[in-house]
Each structure stands twice: as structure tokens, then as C-alpha cells.
Amino acid sequence: MSKNTLIIALGLIPLILIIILIVAVLIQPKTNEDNKEQTSPTPTISVIELNPENTIRSFFNYLNNDEYEEAISLFSSRLSDEESDAYLESFKSWDSVRIVNLNKAAPLDEMNEPTYIVDFELQLKADSQNLIWQNGEQTRFITLSLENEKYLIIQIATSP
């Protein structure tokens, strides 16, 4: 073997090793992805965050979008059908509503039936003859009850 052949061979060996190393590094993430796909799924327990504020926000969003039945579905069964029907009729006079402020009205340890002070901006429909609600900013105390792992509205009042 000549001296030139030996120099070329010694030069090619590190080059080949570098190429192999680069290919191995590039293939590595794909191998990990393949392994992830092959692992059997393990059951996960999802924790549902119970949040009365979400119920209140959903309630007002439903009303703002004229989704009255969905809004009423957030009422507790403790409200009578007559009360729910009366609320439903009054809500149909609303043109738009937006929560301005939402705060806890009672101590934070009140978990089963929390009460919130809700300030909201209400715009009634032009032809509305509603005597319960007025145009403009209003405040209501909304009390909820924890029922079947879900907060539902049990009272909407002008005072606590």
C-alpha cells in the first residue's frame, strides 16, 4: 500500500465516522417517536376543576347569544318550574349582556353554596316592556349549589 493510499484511507475513516454520527443523531428523534407510538396507552384520570365562576360566565354567555334553554339548564332543580319559566320569559327581552365584574360575596370557605356579586351591563331589546330589568349596569347576587359535581344556580337576587 502506498503512502498516498494510506493518507486517503486515514482521511476517509474520520469522515465516514462523522457521517455515521450525523445520521445516528438525525434518526434518534424518529426512533423515540416510533417508541412512543408503540407503547400501550395507560389510563389517565382527568381532574375536572369545579369552578362556580365558570358557571356564571357560561350563564351570561348563553344569554348574550340568545341560547336561553342552555342558560336555564344551569339552574338548579331547587328552583321551581314556575321560577325558571319566569326567568326564561324575562331573559327573552335582553338584547345583549356583558359581565363587568365578578367577585366572591361570601368567605372563601363557603364551598357548597357560594354567592357571587355580579356586575353586568345589560341592553334590553327596543320593544321590551320588562319591569324586572333595566338598561345599563346592574348588580345581582348569584348563589350556586354544588350538585352532581357541577355548580348550578339556585338564586339570583338584588341583595345577599
Side-chain angles (χ1 to χ4, degrees):
M1 184 184 315
S2 73
K3 192 174 187 180
N4 287 342
T5 308
L6 184 61
I7 292 174
I8 292 174
L10 290 175
L12 285 177
I13 291 174
L15 183 62
I16 292 171
L17 289 174
I18 290 173
I19 292 172
I20 291 172
L21 181 63
I22 291 172
V23 170
V25 168
L26 292 176
I27 291 177
Q28 183 64 32
K30 179 152 177 44
T31 304
N32 285 342
E33 289 174 11
D34 291 342
N35 289 342
K36 286 180 185 175
E37 291 175 0
Q38 292 174 357
T39 59
S40 62
T42 57
T44 58
I45 299 172
S46 61
V47 177
I48 298 172
E49 182 180 353
L50 299 175
N51 188 337
E53 291 182 24
N54 288 344
T55 299
I56 294 170
R57 291 186 192 287
S58 294
F59 175 72
F60 279 94
N61 284 334
Y62 285 141
L63 292 174
N64 190 54
N65 294 324
D66 298 335
E67 297 173 10
Y68 307 113
E69 294 301 322
E70 289 84 352
I72 297 298
S73 75
L74 296 177
F75 281 170
S76 166
S77 59
R78 291 167 52 181
L79 283 172
S80 69
D81 289 341
E82 292 80 24
E83 288 174 302
S84 294
D85 291 344
Y87 275 119
L88 176 61
E89 285 307 309
S90 73
F91 295 147
K92 289 182 179 179
S93 67
W94 293 18
D95 187 39
S96 66
V97 64
R98 178 183 62 85
I99 293 176
V100 175
N101 202 4
L102 177 64
N103 290 308
K104 188 102 166 88
L108 290 175
D109 61 346
E110 185 182 297
M111 291 298 292
N112 291 330
E113 292 187 358
T115 299
Y116 284 81
I117 301 172
V118 183
D119 299 316
F120 58 95
E121 184 72 32
L122 176 63
Q123 182 64 46
L124 297 172
K125 293 178 181 171
D127 60 346
S128 172
Q129 299 297 321
N130 196 319
L131 301 176
I132 298 172
W133 308 102
Q134 303 84 34
N135 280 321
E137 190 167 319
Q138 301 182 43
T139 300
R140 293 295 186 274
F141 291 81
I142 298 181
T143 303
L144 301 102
S145 174
L146 184 58
E147 301 174 15
N148 298 323
E149 300 181 15
K150 186 176 179 182
Y151 279 101
L152 298 174
I153 297 169
I154 57 173
Q155 183 178 26
I156 301 174
T158 55
S159 63

